[in-house]
Amino acid sequence: SVFYTLCLLCALLYLFAITFRQLVGANSAVQQLYFSSVPASMYSLLIHGTLLDNIGTVVRDVGSQSIVCAAIFWFFVLLSALTVMNMLIGILCEVVNAVSATEREAIMVSFVKEKMQTCFEELDSDGDGKLTREEFLQVLEKPEACRVLQDVGVDVVGLVDQVDSIFEGDLFNSHSDTQLGFPELV
């Protein structure tokens, strides 16, 4: 969106540079000072009309040449200021959105880890810190464990159906193919 806003600003600069080049009287002091060529007009409009550097002097000089040119200059200032403001708001929104997504993901990871730790401890009946295949299959018998897994978005029945692939030793580079610790489970 920032790229398109910059393109719009460039188009505005070009369009109004041509307009001022044509409207300001030939061989006038204003034309020589601000609008001697299209690139010079674009530069003057960027510095004085968009970035608002020394705008009072420019408006007085253009207004002394023609009231219509002064009105057009103020219209350009309005358009370019809104365009730049839109660009800055777009950048701010993108940054806030990125930070929000990162924070939301970190909170979700923390939530899932906390809930899974609770579920893991509930399923670990012998308290050795590892789940055997038999302990893992008891997940359907414990309603609290089922609820916790469903809260974090896990399909409990599908999880139990995949028990053979979960407890393969090579899948987690484990020495024992009958037990899983919490890090392997998550």
Side-chain angles (χ1 to χ4, degrees):
S1 73
V2 173
F3 173 74
Y4 293 118
T5 306
L6 286 175
C7 289
L8 177 62
L9 183 61
C10 288
L12 282 173
L13 285 170
Y14 183 70
L15 177 73
F16 278 89
I18 292 172
T19 303
F20 279 106
R21 180 84 176 107
Q22 294 297 318
L23 288 179
V24 174
N27 298 326
S28 68
V30 173
Q31 184 186 35
Q32 294 302 319
L33 189 58
Y34 302 113
F35 309 113
S36 60
S37 65
V38 173
S41 299
M42 288 177 70
Y43 177 77
S44 294
L45 289 172
L46 175 68
I47 298 299
H48 303 294
T50 303
L51 301 178
L52 306 176
D53 182 37
N54 202 14
I55 190 171
T57 304
V58 176
V59 170
R60 272 192 300 277
D61 291 346
V62 171
S64 69
Q65 182 72 32
S66 166
I67 297 297
V68 173
C69 287
I72 292 173
F73 186 82
W74 279 116
F75 183 65
F76 171 77
V77 168
L78 176 71
L79 286 179
S80 66
L82 288 176
T83 303
V84 170
M85 183 177 60
N86 183 29
M87 180 178 62
L88 293 176
I89 289 172
I91 291 170
L92 183 64
C93 288
E94 286 179 23
V95 168
V96 167
N97 191 23
V99 168
S100 172
T102 303
E103 289 295 320
R104 203 174 303 122
E105 183 179 335
I107 289 170
M108 181 58 105
V109 166
S110 175
F111 174 75
V112 167
K113 232 177 182 182
E114 179 183 322
K115 292 292 186 178
M116 289 297 292
Q117 181 71 35
T118 304
C119 180
F120 182 84
E121 290 168 357
E122 187 174 320
L123 291 174
D124 187 17
S125 59
D126 59 1
D128 65 351
K130 294 199 179 275
L131 286 182
T132 62
R133 181 185 173 99
E134 291 74 28
E135 288 173 333
F136 188 78
L137 287 173
Q138 292 177 0
V139 72
L140 290 175
E141 296 174 8
K142 300 193 179 209
E144 182 63 26
C146 287
R147 189 186 60 75
V148 166
L149 287 171
Q150 286 175 345
D151 284 349
V152 296
V154 174
D155 178 20
V156 178
V157 176
L159 185 65
V160 171
D161 288 343
Q162 297 296 322
V163 74
D164 290 333
S165 61
I166 292 172
F167 280 89
E168 288 178 1
D170 294 336
L171 186 62
F172 297 104
N173 297 324
S174 171
H175 297 295
S176 168
D177 56 357
T178 59
Q179 294 184 340
L180 290 177
F182 180 70
E184 291 96 10
L185 183 64
V186 174

